[in-house]
Amino acid sequence: MKLGILVNEGPYTHQASDTAYLFAKAAIEKGHKIHRVFFYHDGVYNSSRLTEPPQDDRHIVNRWQKLAKDHRIDLVVCVAAALRRGIKEENLQEGFRISGLGQLIESGIQADRMITFGD
């Protein structure tokens, strides 16, 4: 099954980002394909290369980056939501890209299922 994922919450303020990541990882292990992960609202904070959690904490941004690299997943950050929160190309983690809501619509059309994490 081809899946699309929408993440609406930031990485350290809500469980949604962790849950989305773990869901994506488990789905891949079960043989499903993740078509795209779209980060919207506060979810755009999952793409910031300025994120520096303590050494003994998980690094969610790096987790997304590695998962995408290992499994060729398209990580898309909503341009409007990103700019509202000060995220631009220069502070975007490698492996993420900024684009518009059209990418979310396209993912919904191309995927067999679209799963939303967060409000």
Side-chain angles (χ1 to χ4, degrees):
M1 184 176 295
K2 191 187 320 184
L3 303 170
I5 295 176
L6 172 62
V7 180
N8 290 324
E9 301 291 344
Y12 297 99
T13 57
H14 196 279
Q15 188 63 31
S17 181
D18 284 304
T19 303
Y21 167 78
L22 293 171
F23 174 86
K25 190 174 172 186
I28 291 166
E29 289 171 2
K30 291 289 185 182
H32 301 289
K33 177 169 177 27
I34 305 299
H35 170 256
R36 177 174 293 140
V37 180
F38 192 88
F39 299 92
Y40 194 41
H41 301 298
D42 283 348
V44 300
Y45 288 123
N46 286 282
S47 69
S48 174
R49 69 179 178 92
L50 302 176
T51 303
E52 292 186 37
Q55 288 182 342
D56 62 342
D57 198 0
R58 71 224 183 279
H59 197 304
I60 297 173
V61 176
N62 287 353
R63 284 182 175 182
W64 280 118
Q65 179 189 33
K66 182 174 179 352
L67 188 71
K69 184 178 179 182
D70 292 349
H71 300 284
R72 300 183 54 161
I73 299 170
D74 189 21
L75 301 178
V76 178
V77 179
C78 175
V79 63
L83 290 175
R84 283 185 195 108
R85 291 159 178 85
I87 295 177
K88 299 179 182 182
E89 290 288 338
E90 57 264 19
N91 58 11
L92 198 66
Q93 180 70 296
E94 184 180 330
F96 291 81
R97 67 185 180 97
I98 293 178
S99 193
L101 284 172
Q103 298 296 308
L104 176 60
I105 302 302
E106 180 186 71
S107 186
I109 292 168
Q110 292 184 2
D112 297 310
R113 298 280 187 274
M114 183 65 130
I115 300 102
T116 302
F117 294 88
D119 296 332

